[in-house]
Amino acid sequence: MIQVKDIKKSFHQTEVLKNISFQVEQGEVVVIIGPSGSGKSTLLRMMNFLEIPDEGQIIIDSKKIHFDRKRRKHRNDAEICSLRSDVSMVFQNFNLFEHKTALGNVIEGSIMVRKMAKEKAIHQGKEFLQKVGLEGKENNYPHELSGGQKQRVAIARALAMRPKAILFDEPTSALDPELVGEVLAVIKKLAEEGMTMVIVTHEMGFAKEVGDRVIFMDGGYIVESGPPKKVFENPESERLKQFLSRFSNVV
Amino acid sequence: METILTFLPALLQGTLITIELTLLSLIIALVIGLITAFARISNNFFFNKVAGVYISIIRGTPLLVQLMYIYFVFPEFGIKLSAFSAALIGLSLYEGAYLAEIFRAGIKSIGKGQLEAAYAIGMNYSMAMRRIILPQAIKNVLPPIGNSAILLLKNSSLAAVIAVNELMHTGENLATTTFRNIEIFTLVAIIYWILHYPMDRVVNLLERRMSNDSGQRH
Ligand SMILES: Nc1ncnc2c1ncn2[C@@H]1O[C@H](COP(=O)(O)OP(=O)(O)OP(=O)(O)O)[C@@H](O)[C@H]1O
Ligand SMILES: [Mg+2]
């Protein structure tokens, strides 16, 4: 479904991703964990081409894009824009369109990018809002919603693109603790329905519960990966053991 | 009182020219400003530099000098302009540079998360600008554009030095022939104030609406 091959990325001389390869199968939920600054967000943003790799390949559903240093692609490149709508992204800070209502946020992509008829987009948009538990909030603007509601609108907006996969970058980190549960519940429901997802999170309990596979990153490398049971209960590397010890109360 | 009334027709004639000059240059400056702002934020080195140099020249030299330059120096290079055209070009270029900075600040004030969210649903740059960034930026830039337009109205009086028959120049002419300085320049000042007043109210309204909005947001 998504294949990442030999990806390298530097920001001003510092190498943030040092040769990363992995793949995500259809219907799989991959959870990425790791310490702050290890490159998790950068890797996720690359799968949506918000960052452009210096080297390597990204294959999305058999469409292959090759990156090298000599012919740099721009993130506004037409080829890249068309691929992007197949893989949706949910951001830590929601990034809802502030000048649009909840429903306006959800239907924007259907109408403008997918060129769907307006009535159909609205009908479908309402269904997605219902799915994330927000019926009745269609006409509220983002500033009238709580953090948890905003993030659920963002998830509905991602779903409305009918993506082949959804990427989540710490979807609950900006939320008050009592609002985390409602967002995780929505993601869990999507996992049960077989949505392909890649989730960066610091919620270890959640990672263990929904993840089919856990990837541990540190210092720009994938240090260890495997089924959650193995990664959390029998970590091999010292670095992962050390990292997990900080969450010992959860796992 | 009677003498004042005899000056009014001429002054109102000048006022019409002032309004015409201000409105036309504002419209042209809005176009120049928007284009320049996009050049300034683009990754294209050439556009970026050209826009930067233009803004620097305009902001770094007095408007009076710019007007004189266009009217008196351009003809030396074979570009002959009527006084009105020279003033129109001068004021448009001047205002355009300031509006460019206002537009740029307005676009920058919209967080980069909005652009990324637009990209993430498959939009390209120009669609994201049109649908997501500009509609939000426009609210932020309207008050400063209004303030800048008030300055433009007053700056248009400098066109008097190249003999455009606008309000200021008309007043000057009347004063030199009739020596009624007090009445004439008081009238001129009052007319400028009256012209600025509705603009000031609009700016006030926009500013109040904006602070109400952000009040709700936090
Ligand atoms: N646009 C950028 N310019 C410069 N450096 C960047 C940029 N984006 C990320 N970095 C750097 O790259 C490294 C990896 O960042 P990244 O955000 O991918 O880490 P992360 O694993 O997501 O961390 P966190 O858990 O704190 O979100 C960090 O050292 C960061 O400072
Ligand atoms: Mg991150």
Side-chain angles (χ1 to χ4, degrees):
Chain A
M1 168 77 246
I2 303 177
Q3 232 176 317
V4 171
K5 272 191 193 164
D6 307 319
I7 287 293
K8 289 182 186 159
K9 175 74 178 177
S10 303
F11 289 114
H12 329 287
Q13 325 297 344
T14 35
E15 206 169 12
V16 174
L17 296 180
K18 308 163 185 170
N19 211 341
I20 301 262
S21 299
F22 75 101
Q23 47 182 312
V24 182
E25 304 298 338
Q26 175 87 43
E28 198 181 19
V29 177
V30 174
V31 177
I32 304 178
I33 60 173
S36 185
S38 56
K40 306 181 297 294
S41 295
T42 309
L43 176 60
L44 203 66
R45 288 161 59 78
M46 245 158 225
M47 288 189 261
N48 203 18
F49 309 105
L50 290 174
E51 305 285 356
I52 302 299
D54 296 330
E55 282 178 41
Q57 287 170 16
I58 295 182
I59 303 163
I60 291 179
D61 213 24
S62 79
K63 270 179 250 162
K64 178 152 124 188
I65 298 200
H66 183 83
F67 298 94
D68 63 43
R69 282 173 212 270
K70 279 184 219 98
R71 291 195 303 115
R72 277 193 164 281
K73 288 196 172 60
H74 190 258
R75 65 180 192 172
N76 188 27
D77 190 291
E79 182 188 15
I80 282 177
C81 283
S82 80
L83 268 189
R84 205 181 262 137
S85 59
D86 288 343
V87 179
S88 283
M89 177 108 175
V90 172
F91 300 89
Q92 181 173 352
N93 296 316
F94 331 125
N95 293 343
L96 291 184
F97 304 134
E98 297 288 338
H99 62 309
K100 291 190 180 293
T101 60
L103 185 61
N105 268 273
V106 176
I107 63 176
E108 180 71 9
S110 314
I111 293 175
M112 296 308 295
V113 178
R114 295 276 187 247
K115 311 290 179 201
M116 191 182 279
K118 190 159 184 199
E119 304 78 59
K120 197 172 164 214
I122 289 173
H123 180 75
Q124 162 192 306
K126 284 183 177 159
E127 277 178 5
F128 282 122
L129 280 174
Q130 201 165 19
K131 183 167 188 162
V132 299
L134 287 175
E135 54 272 78
K137 296 287 179 192
E138 288 86 358
N139 297 320
N140 287 77
Y141 282 89
H143 64 83
E144 300 165 335
L145 299 172
S146 74
Q149 291 171 333
K150 282 188 213 182
Q151 194 61 298
R152 285 184 284 147
V153 174
I155 293 172
R157 176 173 71 181
L159 288 170
M161 297 308 292
R162 304 212 178 257
K164 295 179 176 135
I166 304 182
L167 312 172
F168 294 82
D169 191 2
E170 303 198 32
T172 60
S173 294
L175 298 178
D176 292 337
E178 73 269 22
L179 301 177
V180 169
E182 62 190 60
V183 171
L184 294 186
V186 169
I187 300 176
K188 217 175 290 177
K189 194 163 89 184
L190 294 179
E192 281 157 14
E193 290 171 6
M195 175 61 80
T196 310
M197 296 190 281
V198 183
I199 308 170
V200 172
T201 185
H202 288 294
E203 301 278 338
M204 294 303 151
F206 175 70
K208 201 173 168 184
E209 198 182 333
V210 304
D212 295 316
R213 192 148 51 91
V214 176
I215 291 178
F216 171 64
M217 281 184 73
D218 192 12
Y221 291 104
I222 292 178
V223 177
E224 211 173 315
S225 77
K229 210 167 158 53
K230 176 176 164 305
V231 169
F232 287 116
E233 284 161 26
N234 285 309
E236 281 169 18
S237 64
E238 267 319 300
R239 282 195 281 179
L240 178 54
K241 280 179 198 161
Q242 216 173 33
F243 176 75
L244 289 176
S245 68
R246 279 186 265 155
F247 297 92
S248 52
N249 52 335
V250 208
V251 178
Chain B
M1 192 62 210
E2 245 170 73
T3 45
I4 292 182
L5 286 182
T6 59
F7 299 141
L8 260 187
L11 289 178
L12 290 180
Q13 198 62 45
T15 304
L16 282 183
I17 309 267
T18 289
I19 294 173
E20 194 184 346
L21 192 57
T22 304
L23 275 184
L24 283 179
S25 50
L26 182 63
I27 291 166
I28 299 170
L30 283 168
V31 177
I32 296 177
L34 201 55
I35 293 170
T36 309
F38 276 115
R40 282 293 274 165
I41 54 179
S42 88
N43 293 322
N44 185 302
F45 182 81
F46 176 75
F47 290 148
N48 199 311
K49 272 281 167 288
V50 170
V53 168
Y54 157 57
I55 290 173
S56 176
I57 289 174
I58 297 293
R59 299 220 302 178
T61 58
L63 175 56
L64 188 52
V65 174
Q66 293 162 20
L67 290 174
M68 298 278 224
Y69 205 91
I70 293 171
Y71 192 55
F72 294 114
V73 180
F74 278 20
E76 310 259 338
F77 300 107
I79 306 171
K80 225 164 151 24
L81 296 161
S82 71
F84 185 86
S85 313
L88 184 60
I89 292 171
L91 287 170
S92 301
L93 287 174
Y94 180 82
E95 183 68 5
Y98 283 91
L99 291 186
E101 292 295 89
I102 290 173
F103 279 127
R104 185 166 75 114
I107 292 168
K108 287 259 152 148
S109 74
I110 306 305
K112 74 173 172 53
Q114 294 287 309
L115 181 61
E116 292 191 342
Y119 273 146
I121 56 171
M123 289 188 173
N124 58 22
Y125 182 79
S126 65
M127 190 188 279
M129 272 294 154
R130 257 185 307 121
R131 298 284 306 175
I132 307 300
I133 308 296
L134 287 179
Q136 294 184 67
I138 200 76
K139 247 185 19 206
N140 295 347
V141 298
L142 280 179
I145 286 177
N147 278 322
S148 186
I150 292 175
L151 286 178
L152 175 65
L153 167 71
K154 295 185 292 177
N155 280 334
S156 74
S157 64
L158 283 172
V161 300
I162 55 173
V164 176
N165 272 324
E166 43 70 75
L167 178 56
M168 183 68 205
H169 192 57
T170 311
E172 266 184 316
N173 281 346
L174 279 177
T176 37
T177 50
T178 64
F179 303 105
R180 306 299 287 261
N181 287 318
I182 300 182
E183 293 91 334
I184 289 166
F185 286 117
T186 305
L187 270 178
V188 167
I190 290 173
I191 294 175
Y192 274 116
W193 187 88
I194 291 173
L195 287 181
H196 115 285
Y197 188 73
M199 299 166 84
D200 188 58
R201 296 320 302 157
V202 171
V203 170
N204 247 300
L205 202 82
L206 291 171
E207 271 170 354
R208 216 153 354 118
R209 252 213 350 230
M210 235 177 85
S211 62
N212 279 350
D213 267 17
S214 53
Q216 283 170 6
R217 208 160 282 178
H218 297 294

Short mmCIF file of all heavy atoms in Angstrom, two decimals, chain B residues 148-185:
data_model
loop_
_atom_site.label_atom_id
_atom_site.label_comp_id
_atom_site.label_asym_id
_atom_site.label_seq_id
_atom_site.Cartn_x
_atom_site.Cartn_y
_atom_site.Cartn_z
N SER B 148 -4.14 53.14 5.18
CA SER B 148 -3.21 53.53 4.13
C SER B 148 -3.93 54.39 3.07
O SER B 148 -3.35 55.32 2.51
CB SER B 148 -2.61 52.27 3.50
OG SER B 148 -1.62 52.61 2.59
N ALA B 149 -5.21 54.07 2.82
CA ALA B 149 -5.97 54.85 1.84
C ALA B 149 -6.19 56.28 2.34
O ALA B 149 -6.19 57.23 1.55
CB ALA B 149 -7.31 54.17 1.55
N ILE B 150 -6.37 56.45 3.65
CA ILE B 150 -6.51 57.80 4.20
C ILE B 150 -5.21 58.59 4.00
O ILE B 150 -5.23 59.76 3.58
CB ILE B 150 -6.86 57.73 5.71
CG1 ILE B 150 -8.27 57.15 5.88
CG2 ILE B 150 -6.77 59.12 6.35
CD1 ILE B 150 -8.68 56.93 7.33
N LEU B 151 -4.09 57.93 4.24
CA LEU B 151 -2.79 58.58 3.99
C LEU B 151 -2.67 58.96 2.52
O LEU B 151 -2.18 60.04 2.17
CB LEU B 151 -1.64 57.67 4.38
CG LEU B 151 -1.39 57.49 5.87
CD1 LEU B 151 -0.25 56.51 6.11
CD2 LEU B 151 -1.05 58.85 6.49
N LEU B 152 -3.13 58.05 1.65
CA LEU B 152 -3.04 58.30 0.21
C LEU B 152 -3.84 59.54 -0.17
O LEU B 152 -3.38 60.39 -0.95
CB LEU B 152 -3.56 57.07 -0.55
CG LEU B 152 -3.65 57.19 -2.07
CD1 LEU B 152 -2.25 57.37 -2.67
CD2 LEU B 152 -4.33 55.97 -2.67
N LEU B 153 -5.04 59.66 0.39
CA LEU B 153 -5.88 60.82 0.12
C LEU B 153 -5.10 62.10 0.45
O LEU B 153 -5.07 63.05 -0.34
CB LEU B 153 -7.15 60.74 0.97
CG LEU B 153 -7.99 62.02 1.07
CD1 LEU B 153 -8.68 62.29 -0.26
CD2 LEU B 153 -9.02 61.92 2.19
N LYS B 154 -4.48 62.11 1.62
CA LYS B 154 -3.75 63.32 2.04
C LYS B 154 -2.48 63.52 1.22
O LYS B 154 -2.13 64.64 0.84
CB LYS B 154 -3.44 63.24 3.54
CG LYS B 154 -4.74 63.25 4.37
CD LYS B 154 -4.49 63.31 5.85
CE LYS B 154 -3.87 62.03 6.36
NZ LYS B 154 -3.58 62.11 7.79
N ASN B 155 -1.81 62.39 0.91
CA ASN B 155 -0.59 62.48 0.09
C ASN B 155 -0.88 63.00 -1.31
O ASN B 155 0.00 63.58 -1.96
CB ASN B 155 0.09 61.12 -0.02
CG ASN B 155 0.90 60.80 1.23
OD1 ASN B 155 1.36 61.71 1.92
ND2 ASN B 155 1.07 59.53 1.51
N SER B 156 -2.11 62.78 -1.78
CA SER B 156 -2.43 63.22 -3.14
C SER B 156 -2.28 64.73 -3.27
O SER B 156 -2.13 65.27 -4.37
CB SER B 156 -3.84 62.77 -3.55
OG SER B 156 -4.80 63.56 -2.87
N SER B 157 -2.29 65.45 -2.13
CA SER B 157 -2.12 66.91 -2.18
C SER B 157 -0.73 67.29 -2.70
O SER B 157 -0.53 68.40 -3.19
CB SER B 157 -2.33 67.50 -0.79
OG SER B 157 -1.34 67.02 0.10
N LEU B 158 0.22 66.35 -2.62
CA LEU B 158 1.57 66.64 -3.13
C LEU B 158 1.57 66.81 -4.65
O LEU B 158 2.49 67.39 -5.22
CB LEU B 158 2.54 65.54 -2.73
CG LEU B 158 3.01 65.59 -1.27
CD1 LEU B 158 3.82 64.34 -0.94
CD2 LEU B 158 3.83 66.84 -1.02
N ALA B 159 0.53 66.27 -5.30
CA ALA B 159 0.45 66.43 -6.75
C ALA B 159 0.38 67.91 -7.14
O ALA B 159 0.60 68.28 -8.30
CB ALA B 159 -0.76 65.68 -7.31
N ALA B 160 0.07 68.77 -6.16
CA ALA B 160 0.05 70.21 -6.41
C ALA B 160 1.38 70.71 -6.96
O ALA B 160 1.41 71.61 -7.80
CB ALA B 160 -0.31 70.96 -5.13
N VAL B 161 2.47 70.09 -6.51
CA VAL B 161 3.80 70.60 -6.93
C VAL B 161 4.06 70.36 -8.41
O VAL B 161 4.92 71.01 -9.00
CB VAL B 161 4.95 69.98 -6.12
CG1 VAL B 161 4.80 70.30 -4.64
CG2 VAL B 161 5.07 68.49 -6.37
N ILE B 162 3.35 69.41 -9.02
CA ILE B 162 3.53 69.26 -10.46
C ILE B 162 2.30 69.80 -11.19
O ILE B 162 2.00 69.44 -12.32
CB ILE B 162 3.86 67.81 -10.89
CG1 ILE B 162 2.78 66.83 -10.38
CG2 ILE B 162 5.23 67.40 -10.38
CD1 ILE B 162 2.96 65.41 -10.92
N ALA B 163 1.59 70.70 -10.48
CA ALA B 163 0.50 71.47 -11.09
C ALA B 163 -0.69 70.64 -11.57
O ALA B 163 -1.32 70.95 -12.58
CB ALA B 163 1.03 72.32 -12.24
N VAL B 164 -1.02 69.59 -10.83
CA VAL B 164 -2.29 68.89 -11.10
C VAL B 164 -3.37 69.73 -10.43
O VAL B 164 -3.21 70.15 -9.29
CB VAL B 164 -2.29 67.48 -10.48
CG1 VAL B 164 -3.65 66.82 -10.69
CG2 VAL B 164 -1.19 66.64 -11.09
N ASN B 165 -4.47 69.95 -11.14
CA ASN B 165 -5.49 70.85 -10.59
C ASN B 165 -6.38 70.19 -9.57
O ASN B 165 -7.60 70.23 -9.65
CB ASN B 165 -6.35 71.42 -11.73
CG ASN B 165 -5.71 72.68 -12.27
OD1 ASN B 165 -5.13 73.46 -11.50
ND2 ASN B 165 -5.80 72.87 -13.57
N GLU B 166 -5.77 69.59 -8.58
CA GLU B 166 -6.57 68.98 -7.52
C GLU B 166 -6.84 70.03 -6.44
O GLU B 166 -6.52 71.21 -6.61
CB GLU B 166 -5.93 67.70 -6.99
CG GLU B 166 -4.44 67.72 -6.77
CD GLU B 166 -4.09 68.59 -5.61
OE1 GLU B 166 -4.29 68.19 -4.45
OE2 GLU B 166 -3.64 69.74 -5.88
N LEU B 167 -7.41 69.59 -5.35
CA LEU B 167 -7.87 70.50 -4.30
C LEU B 167 -6.78 71.46 -3.80
O LEU B 167 -6.96 72.68 -3.75
CB LEU B 167 -8.43 69.68 -3.13
CG LEU B 167 -8.92 70.44 -1.91
CD1 LEU B 167 -9.98 71.45 -2.28
CD2 LEU B 167 -9.46 69.45 -0.88
N MET B 168 -5.62 70.92 -3.46
CA MET B 168 -4.55 71.74 -2.89
C MET B 168 -4.07 72.80 -3.88
O MET B 168 -3.93 73.97 -3.54
CB MET B 168 -3.38 70.81 -2.52
CG MET B 168 -2.24 71.52 -1.85
SD MET B 168 -2.75 72.11 -0.21
CE MET B 168 -1.59 73.45 -0.02
N HIS B 169 -3.86 72.36 -5.10
CA HIS B 169 -3.34 73.29 -6.11
C HIS B 169 -4.37 74.37 -6.43
O HIS B 169 -4.03 75.54 -6.58
CB HIS B 169 -2.99 72.51 -7.38
CG HIS B 169 -2.20 73.32 -8.36
ND1 HIS B 169 -0.99 73.90 -8.04
CD2 HIS B 169 -2.43 73.66 -9.66
CE1 HIS B 169 -0.52 74.54 -9.07
NE2 HIS B 169 -1.37 74.43 -10.08
N THR B 170 -5.63 73.98 -6.49
CA THR B 170 -6.70 74.95 -6.72
C THR B 170 -6.70 76.00 -5.61
O THR B 170 -6.80 77.21 -5.87
CB THR B 170 -8.07 74.25 -6.77
OG1 THR B 170 -7.98 73.14 -7.65
CG2 THR B 170 -9.15 75.19 -7.25
N GLY B 171 -6.56 75.52 -4.38
CA GLY B 171 -6.51 76.44 -3.25
C GLY B 171 -5.35 77.40 -3.36
O GLY B 171 -5.50 78.62 -3.20
N GLU B 172 -4.18 76.87 -3.66
CA GLU B 172 -2.98 77.71 -3.81
C GLU B 172 -3.20 78.79 -4.86
O GLU B 172 -2.89 79.96 -4.63
CB GLU B 172 -1.81 76.84 -4.26
CG GLU B 172 -0.95 76.31 -3.16
CD GLU B 172 0.24 75.54 -3.72
OE1 GLU B 172 0.03 74.73 -4.67
OE2 GLU B 172 1.36 75.76 -3.24
N ASN B 173 -3.73 78.37 -6.00
CA ASN B 173 -3.97 79.33 -7.09
C ASN B 173 -4.90 80.45 -6.66
O ASN B 173 -4.63 81.63 -6.90
CB ASN B 173 -4.57 78.63 -8.31
CG ASN B 173 -3.50 77.91 -9.11
OD1 ASN B 173 -2.31 78.15 -8.90
ND2 ASN B 173 -3.92 77.01 -9.99
N LEU B 174 -6.00 80.04 -6.01
CA LEU B 174 -6.96 81.05 -5.54
C LEU B 174 -6.30 82.00 -4.56
O LEU B 174 -6.49 83.22 -4.61
CB LEU B 174 -8.15 80.36 -4.85
CG LEU B 174 -9.25 79.80 -5.76
CD1 LEU B 174 -10.31 79.11 -4.92
CD2 LEU B 174 -9.87 80.92 -6.58
N ALA B 175 -5.48 81.45 -3.69
CA ALA B 175 -4.85 82.26 -2.65
C ALA B 175 -3.89 83.29 -3.25
O ALA B 175 -3.85 84.44 -2.83
CB ALA B 175 -4.13 81.38 -1.65
N THR B 176 -3.13 82.87 -4.24
CA THR B 176 -2.16 83.83 -4.81
C THR B 176 -2.86 84.95 -5.57
O THR B 176 -2.35 86.06 -5.65
CB THR B 176 -1.15 83.15 -5.78
OG1 THR B 176 -1.84 82.15 -6.52
CG2 THR B 176 0.01 82.54 -5.03
N THR B 177 -4.05 84.66 -6.13
CA THR B 177 -4.71 85.73 -6.87
C THR B 177 -5.59 86.60 -5.98
O THR B 177 -5.80 87.77 -6.27
CB THR B 177 -5.59 85.17 -8.02
OG1 THR B 177 -6.41 84.14 -7.49
CG2 THR B 177 -4.73 84.62 -9.14
N THR B 178 -6.12 86.04 -4.86
CA THR B 178 -7.06 86.83 -4.06
C THR B 178 -6.50 87.25 -2.70
O THR B 178 -7.09 88.06 -2.02
CB THR B 178 -8.34 86.02 -3.78
OG1 THR B 178 -7.97 84.89 -2.99
CG2 THR B 178 -9.00 85.58 -5.06
N PHE B 179 -5.38 86.65 -2.30
CA PHE B 179 -4.76 86.90 -0.99
C PHE B 179 -5.68 86.58 0.18
O PHE B 179 -5.46 87.05 1.27
CB PHE B 179 -4.28 88.37 -0.89
CG PHE B 179 -3.31 88.74 -1.97
CD1 PHE B 179 -3.70 89.54 -3.04
CD2 PHE B 179 -2.01 88.25 -1.94
CE1 PHE B 179 -2.81 89.85 -4.04
CE2 PHE B 179 -1.10 88.58 -2.94
CZ PHE B 179 -1.51 89.37 -4.00
N ARG B 180 -6.73 85.77 -0.04
CA ARG B 180 -7.60 85.41 1.09
C ARG B 180 -7.10 84.08 1.69
O ARG B 180 -7.80 83.08 1.66
CB ARG B 180 -9.05 85.28 0.62
CG ARG B 180 -9.59 86.51 -0.10
CD ARG B 180 -9.55 87.72 0.82
NE ARG B 180 -10.59 87.63 1.84
CZ ARG B 180 -11.75 88.28 1.76
NH1 ARG B 180 -12.01 89.06 0.73
NH2 ARG B 180 -12.64 88.15 2.70
N ASN B 181 -5.89 84.13 2.22
CA ASN B 181 -5.27 82.90 2.72
C ASN B 181 -6.09 82.18 3.79
O ASN B 181 -6.26 80.97 3.73
CB ASN B 181 -3.88 83.21 3.29
CG ASN B 181 -2.91 83.51 2.17
OD1 ASN B 181 -2.91 82.84 1.15
ND2 ASN B 181 -2.11 84.54 2.34
N ILE B 182 -6.57 82.96 4.77
CA ILE B 182 -7.28 82.33 5.90
C ILE B 182 -8.48 81.54 5.41
O ILE B 182 -8.61 80.33 5.66
CB ILE B 182 -7.75 83.39 6.92
CG1 ILE B 182 -6.54 84.15 7.47
CG2 ILE B 182 -8.53 82.71 8.06
CD1 ILE B 182 -6.89 85.17 8.52
N GLU B 183 -9.35 82.19 4.66
CA GLU B 183 -10.57 81.52 4.22
C GLU B 183 -10.26 80.32 3.34
O GLU B 183 -10.80 79.22 3.52
CB GLU B 183 -11.48 82.48 3.42
CG GLU B 183 -12.07 83.61 4.21
CD GLU B 183 -11.20 84.86 4.19
OE1 GLU B 183 -9.96 84.71 4.01
OE2 GLU B 183 -11.74 85.96 4.34
N ILE B 184 -9.38 80.54 2.39
CA ILE B 184 -9.14 79.49 1.40
C ILE B 184 -8.49 78.26 2.02
O ILE B 184 -8.97 77.13 1.86
CB ILE B 184 -8.30 80.03 0.23
CG1 ILE B 184 -9.17 80.99 -0.57
CG2 ILE B 184 -7.80 78.89 -0.65
CD1 ILE B 184 -8.40 81.83 -1.55
N PHE B 185 -7.41 78.45 2.79
CA PHE B 185 -6.74 77.26 3.33
C PHE B 185 -7.54 76.59 4.43
O PHE B 185 -7.45 75.38 4.63
CB PHE B 185 -5.31 77.60 3.77
CG PHE B 185 -4.40 77.79 2.58
CD1 PHE B 185 -3.80 79.01 2.33
CD2 PHE B 185 -4.19 76.75 1.68
CE1 PHE B 185 -2.98 79.19 1.22
CE2 PHE B 185 -3.38 76.93 0.57
CZ PHE B 185 -2.77 78.15 0.33
#
